[in-house]
Amino acid sequence: MAGINVPLQPVKHQYIITEKIEGLATDAPTIRDPDRRTYFKEEVGGLVMGGYEPNPQAWTTDLPGGDVPNDWEFRLFDDDYDHFEQHMARAIERVPALAHAGVKQMINGPESFTPDGNFILGAAPECSNMFVGAGFNAFGIASGGGAGWVLAQWVVDGEAPLDLWVVDIRRFSGLHRDRDWVRDRTLEAYGKHYTIGFPHEEYLSGRPRIVSPLYERLKTHRAVFGSKLGWERPNWFAPDGVEPEDIYSMGRQNWFGPVGDEHRHVREKVGIFDQSSFAKYEMAGTDALKALAWICANDVDKPVGRLTYTQLLNTRGGIEADLTVARLGESRFYIVTGTGFRTHDLSWIGDHIEQGLDTTLKDVTEDFGTLSLMGPCARDVLSAVTDADVSNTAFPFGHAREVGIAGHTVRALRVTYVGELGWELHVPIAATGEIFDALMAAGKKHDIRPVGYRALESLRLEKGYRAWGSDITPNDTPQEAGLGWAVKLRKNTDFVGRRALEKVAAKPLAKRFAGFTVADPEIVLLGRETILRNGEAVGYLTSGGYGYTVEKNIGYGYVRNADGVSDDFLASGDYELVVAMERTPAKIHLEPMYDPAGEKIRA
């Protein structure tokens, strides 16, 4: 009724309650058997048994939008033993007594599930001062206390009290207004409830949904696509003789070798990344600079044509967003952020524009495709397709220019997330294919090739670039994350989070971001591995992967110590990582592992 989109799908969930089972203790533990997709708990001397089947049944109605009737409370569906038989057969394998136990009652009711299996909390982007707590995916009782606390604190403070990104309602977008898409994706998420969670696993339902103009072209290059907020994005490219699909495992997956080739190609030659899914906004108006100066932690008051990498902070000094701002004119700015943060970052910026200011904020994501041209030969390729001077003198790092390519005006941003010479080319969306073709033709003599997101991840790990949502979150301050250089504390300008940062500036940091390498080639780092210092747990990895140039496994995480984490404290410890329950020696790094001086990107 308030116009808020809460992407939920009711699913028919069944369980049985048995008669009393002789010998069953009243304090028997709750048991899950994921291999058989079932769960058990004691109830009045009997068992409750249910499960999560791979072929769940959505509840849809013939009401407008398939909505649940308003008078549905305390009602159930008819028993469906045919559908439940798959659980019963497998449960008896685990608990043979069920074969002889009488069934007192079957419960078949609707449970609220979401497209990614996480519940929904937070301030709705469509309506100010409206908060949502919904979609608990059968974990409402278990999560209710914590969810109630954080939601109440959110209402009081106007911001989340800790990092709640995985359940934040602003992780969704306009895509999630499609009830059919939400239904199909939610049923897939429900079916994964008890399956093995393989690393890098992709959802399959509702795809392809949003494609860039390069989708068909990249398919001819044998692209293997992943999906992010509905966008199809190339994860890697399969060489001839390799099946162009992911084969999941807990060890090295089938794309490990091909991604290494893509990684080396960017380090040695030149590659193109299709990053058209980037979220993009424009802010304009006589007060646009004033608005951004308050919202951004870094100094955006730079000459026209300059870029600013900045964080957006909460009142605790935690990092709520991490993005790039290009000044296109005296009162006009272009903001670029990650694909998945489109709704969140736009809402955060909009919510923090002071009332009465002359400024407009517009989402222009679909107006521009984005081609990232990266590698030592990037300038050679770019200069061959434009008359603009792209020399280091005329077009230094951290600048933005409008250049002509293939008859189109392109916003060229000299910035990188891979640690090499390169440009993000923001092109008119309809011209993306034409400009891609021109770059590929001009780069043929340099052996140019398209490159995917998995190579991007390995390249950024070597360079030590942070990823919001994992390495940096609302729980982490820029100083703790090693990003204090991107904060304008020395400038006499107020901004959101400044007071919190000033309070902790004179105190020793209780945690600090650091890199780690593991030489053992059999180890696979993913993130969340425990960090040990002198045998004691001091933190965990926030991200992990493999660096093909340094030829080592790379992980990043925060080292914690209540008495302070100094350089000496970090350097003096002996480190290990706990990987799959086994300790493995690790080396700590306080500087980027690749080109620490940044000479490559400023070439």
Side-chain angles (χ1 to χ4, degrees):
M1 291 185 292
I4 297 169
N5 180 44
V6 186
L8 304 174
Q9 173 62 49
V11 179
K12 296 180 179 181
H13 187 74
Q14 297 186 94
Y15 62 89
I16 60 169
I17 305 171
T18 75
E19 302 285 356
K20 186 174 182 179
I21 297 176
E22 203 64 39
L24 179 62
T26 57
D27 61 349
T30 298
I31 298 171
R32 293 176 183 165
D33 184 358
D35 286 344
R36 292 174 174 80
R37 301 191 293 268
T38 52
Y39 59 82
F40 310 85
K41 75 181 185 72
E42 187 275 338
E43 183 161 314
V44 198
L47 278 179
V48 166
M49 186 278 289
Y52 291 86
E53 63 273 20
N55 58 334
Q57 297 174 310
W59 182 32
T60 55
T61 75
D62 56 5
L63 295 173
D67 288 320
V68 175
N70 288 331
D71 62 349
W72 185 260
E73 61 267 28
F74 307 118
R75 293 168 60 185
L76 297 171
F77 305 116
D78 293 335
D79 298 346
D80 188 348
Y81 276 97
D82 288 341
H83 191 73
F84 193 74
E85 182 183 8
Q86 58 187 304
H87 294 315
M88 198 71 202
R90 306 199 79 180
I92 290 171
E93 296 171 2
R94 174 59 66 199
V95 184
L98 281 173
H100 312 289
V103 175
K104 184 189 301 183
Q105 185 181 10
M106 169 173 274
I107 306 294
N108 185 6
E111 179 65 76
S112 182
F113 286 85
T114 65
D116 59 6
N118 292 328
F119 45 83
I120 302 174
L121 295 178
E126 302 95 338
C127 181
S128 62
N129 240 12
M130 184 74 77
F131 292 80
V132 176
F136 281 87
N137 302 277
F139 286 108
I141 293 174
S143 301
W149 165 63
V150 298
L151 195 55
Q153 200 65 50
W154 208 328
V155 172
V156 171
D157 296 339
E159 63 183 32
L162 66 156
D163 177 19
L164 293 167
W165 170 239
V166 294
V167 296
D168 194 327
I169 191 172
R170 299 187 184 196
R171 71 189 187 272
F172 300 118
S173 69
L175 160 70
H176 296 89
R177 290 187 175 275
D178 184 331
R179 297 293 291 268
D180 292 336
W181 189 93
V182 168
R183 179 198 61 223
D184 294 345
R185 178 57 59 88
T186 301
L187 293 181
E188 184 182 6
Y190 179 103
K192 291 179 180 291
H193 200 84
Y194 277 173
T195 60
I196 295 173
F198 284 109
H200 312 292
E201 188 175 3
E202 295 277 351
Y203 282 98
L204 301 176
S205 57
R207 296 178 57 190
R209 175 61 187 220
I210 307 171
V211 299
S212 92
L214 300 185
Y215 182 67
E216 294 299 331
R217 284 175 173 82
L218 296 177
K219 283 171 68 175
T220 66
H221 288 274
R222 299 173 56 82
V224 182
F225 291 92
S227 179
K228 193 69 171 283
L229 207 65
W231 285 83
E232 292 292 314
R233 313 192 309 175
N235 278 338
W236 61 287
F237 293 82
D240 291 337
V242 175
E243 192 68 24
E245 66 173 319
D246 289 335
I247 300 176
Y248 300 121
S249 73
M250 290 298 180
R252 298 288 183 213
Q253 298 185 6
N254 64 318
W255 46 262
F256 182 75
V259 168
D261 292 338
E262 294 176 33
H263 173 115
R264 285 183 284 271
H265 203 91
V266 174
R267 288 278 184 252
E268 298 168 4
K269 297 178 181 178
V270 62
I272 298 182
F273 299 85
D274 180 11
Q275 296 187 285
S276 299
S277 62
F278 272 165
K280 316 165 195 82
Y281 324 122
E282 286 187 0
M283 182 180 279
T286 56
D287 292 323
L289 174 60
K290 183 178 180 181
L292 280 175
W294 165 248
I295 296 166
C296 297
N298 206 350
D299 184 12
V300 295
D301 189 8
K302 294 176 180 175
V304 173
R306 290 291 304 275
L307 296 175
T308 304
Y309 165 68
T310 184
Q311 285 79 48
L312 313 185
L313 307 182
N314 54 44
T315 59
R316 306 185 311 277
I319 302 170
E320 289 285 347
D322 176 73
L323 42 78
T324 301
V325 179
R327 192 168 193 179
L328 303 181
E330 289 297 326
S331 56
R332 186 167 170 238
F333 296 83
Y334 183 57
I335 303 168
V336 183
T337 190
T339 303
F341 316 134
R342 179 177 182 175
T343 303
H344 174 275
D345 290 5
L346 183 70
S347 298
W348 183 270
I349 295 169
D351 289 347
H352 289 80
I353 296 175
E354 294 177 299
Q355 289 187 350
L357 295 185
D358 174 28
T359 185
T360 59
L361 178 64
K362 182 182 178 183
D363 187 326
V364 294
T365 297
E366 277 79 19
D367 292 354
F368 295 93
T370 304
L371 302 177
S372 293
L373 183 70
M374 299 287 158
C377 298
R379 180 176 286 114
D380 297 327
V381 176
L382 185 58
S383 62
V385 297
T386 183
D387 293 331
D389 186 350
V390 294
S391 67
N392 195 49
T393 302
F395 200 155
F397 182 76
H399 285 66
R401 302 277 190 274
E402 286 193 342
V403 302
I405 301 178
H408 300 280
T409 300
V410 172
R411 292 177 179 175
L413 280 57
R414 189 165 168 198
V415 65
T416 180
Y417 196 55
V418 304
E420 297 292 342
L421 170 69
W423 284 263
E424 281 181 16
L425 304 174
H426 294 251
V427 307
I429 192 73
T432 307
E434 189 178 349
I435 292 172
F436 175 82
D437 291 344
L439 292 169
M440 290 294 289
K444 189 173 182 180
K445 64 181 179 180
H446 302 289
D447 198 20
I448 195 171
R449 62 175 290 183
V451 181
Y453 270 82
R454 293 206 173 124
L456 182 79
E457 175 69 4
S458 112
L459 290 159
R460 75 97 184 168
L461 285 171
E462 288 188 337
K463 189 62 180 168
Y465 293 138
R466 282 63 159 163
W468 191 85
S470 55
D471 300 324
I472 49 178
T473 74
N475 292 344
D476 311 308
T477 67
Q479 286 88 344
E480 292 167 340
L483 297 173
W485 55 269
V487 179
K488 56 190 176 192
L489 279 177
R490 294 182 180 178
K491 191 170 182 179
N492 188 27
T493 305
D494 201 8
F495 58 90
V496 180
R498 180 176 185 122
R499 289 176 179 82
L501 296 186
E502 287 175 336
K503 286 181 181 179
V504 300
K507 300 177 182 178
L509 294 174
K511 69 175 186 179
R512 281 180 58 187
F513 190 76
F516 298 88
T517 54
V518 173
D520 185 348
E522 299 302 312
I523 294 294
V524 177
L525 297 181
L526 300 167
R528 299 295 175 178
E529 294 85 355
T530 300
I531 303 168
L532 301 177
R533 178 183 179 276
N534 298 337
E536 298 292 328
V538 292
Y540 56 88
L541 297 188
T542 52
S543 61
Y546 188 80
Y548 295 89
T549 303
V550 301
E551 297 183 324
K552 287 182 175 65
N553 296 288
I554 299 174
Y556 289 97
Y558 289 88
V559 176
R560 293 164 168 82
N561 180 39
D563 295 327
V565 184
S566 64
D567 287 348
D568 288 343
F569 179 86
L570 290 171
S572 62
D574 291 324
Y575 292 92
E576 298 171 290
L577 300 177
V578 182
V579 183
M581 305 295 289
E582 299 289 337
R583 295 185 177 195
T584 184
K587 180 180 179 181
I588 193 168
H589 299 263
L590 303 183
E591 288 189 339
M593 299 162 207
Y594 176 79
D595 186 29
E599 295 175 357
K600 301 282 187 181
I601 64 176
R602 294 179 174 83

